Amino acid sequence: MQTSSLKESIWQIVAAIPEGNVATYGQVAALAGYPNHARYVGTTLKNLPKGTRLPWHRVVNGRGELSFPINSEPWHKQKAYLEKEGILFMGKGFSLKQYQWQA
DNA sequence: GGTATGACAGAGT
DNA sequence: CACTCTGCCATAC
């Protein structure tokens, strides 16, 4: 897929995350070919069109938390999506590894 | 203290 | 002007 830009690569990787699993920015960035640019993943996702079908809500940071400001609109929305898929976030003994997606 | 992560910002094409 | 890519720094573990 050399015709795809990095953004499209990220798009496909995120879209490949199975339901009930999550991936970290570093994970996606590494799969996209940029193991040291996890920030770019978030920046790119933020720039995605409003009507994207990309399950960006399955992408979380390395601590197993959402990268949005707590109590923000998108924060609640993402958390709701995750819980709906069976991923209970912010748990006391939450283990990211337990949900970490593996290519 | 060192390593790893990040929803940015700035610069280049 | 729009989109892409690289770099620095602060915070958490």
Side-chain angles (χ1 to χ4, degrees), chain A residues 33-75:
Chain A
Y34 288 75
N36 289 109
H37 285 146
R39 301 167 123 213
Y40 180 56
V41 177
T43 304
T44 302
L45 294 179
K46 194 187 68 170
N47 273 291
L48 282 169
K50 184 183 178 187
T52 185
R53 301 171 184 51
L54 190 69
W56 55 269
H57 56 263
R58 288 181 194 150
V59 184
V60 296
N61 64 25
R63 296 178 228 148
E65 296 194 3
L66 311 185
S67 308
F68 289 113
I70 295 209
N71 285 299
S72 225
E73 295 288 322
W75 185 88

Side-chain angles (χ1 to χ4, degrees), chain A residues 24-36:
Chain A
T24 63
Y25 293 99
Q27 179 85 42
V28 177
L31 291 170
Y34 288 75
N36 289 109

